[in-house]
Amino acid sequence: MNIHEVQESELGSLFDLIKAKAEFDGCSESLKASVESLREALFSSKPLAHALVAEVEGKIVGMATYYSIFSSFIAMPGLWLDDLFVYEQSRNLGIGEALMKHLCAIAQSGGCGRIDWHVSKFNEGGKKFYRR
């Protein structure tokens, strides 16, 4: 397994994961992103967000998208985990945990005080994962 920041040449695979996440969440109609809008958001001179991808046997099978936040309560920066998703056929292989550990390392090296996220109350598998 290889966890790394998404490369511009991998944006099509990232977009496919985002589409699959929208389908999983039951809100495909809300998806307005495109490969081009992702390129602008992630690779402009002032990126709005970042994305990690998980690659197994040469195929991208998971992602974590995130961006910087600030907590006034602790007066420190943090990271907001926007989406974490692994294709169903690649779940239970430690990919989600590896993505989270990589994100934690990024937060720690950036002097962040915390990582925040939400999980849908309907996503029982996701709630179990995050509790672990």
Side-chain angles (χ1 to χ4, degrees):
M1 179 184 334
N2 177 22
I3 307 292
H4 61 273
E5 290 284 334
V6 70
Q7 302 297 306
E8 198 165 352
S9 62
E10 299 169 323
L11 285 175
S13 296
L14 178 64
F15 183 65
D16 290 342
L17 280 159
I18 292 169
K19 285 191 297 190
K21 171 77 165 72
E23 289 170 15
F24 176 83
D25 288 346
C27 60
S28 296
E29 71 284 350
S30 297
L31 182 62
K32 305 297 183 216
S34 67
V35 171
E36 285 308 312
S37 64
L38 287 172
R39 181 174 284 111
E40 180 63 27
L42 301 175
F43 291 98
S44 68
S45 60
K46 291 185 180 180
L48 300 174
H50 306 277
L52 297 173
V53 291
E55 187 178 359
V56 175
E57 297 178 1
K59 182 176 166 95
I60 293 177
V61 297
M63 66 157 187
T65 57
Y66 65 98
Y67 55 90
S68 297
I69 59 171
F70 179 78
S71 171
S72 57
F73 281 26
I74 60 173
M76 294 178 76
L79 293 181
W80 181 264
L81 171 62
D82 190 46
D83 285 314
L84 177 72
F85 185 77
V86 176
Y87 285 127
E88 187 172 358
Q89 65 270 23
S90 297
R91 292 183 190 153
N92 299 310
L93 301 175
I95 296 167
E97 184 177 344
L99 285 162
M100 288 297 292
K101 284 182 178 180
H102 199 97
L103 187 62
C104 287
I106 291 168
Q108 190 171 31
S109 70
C112 295
R114 64 196 224 190
I115 299 173
D116 292 334
W117 67 88
H118 290 293
V119 62
S120 169
K121 66 181 179 180
F122 303 111
N123 185 351
E124 291 303 321
K127 290 190 287 187
K128 285 181 188 176
F129 169 79
Y130 290 121
R131 280 189 203 110
R132 279 196 329 266

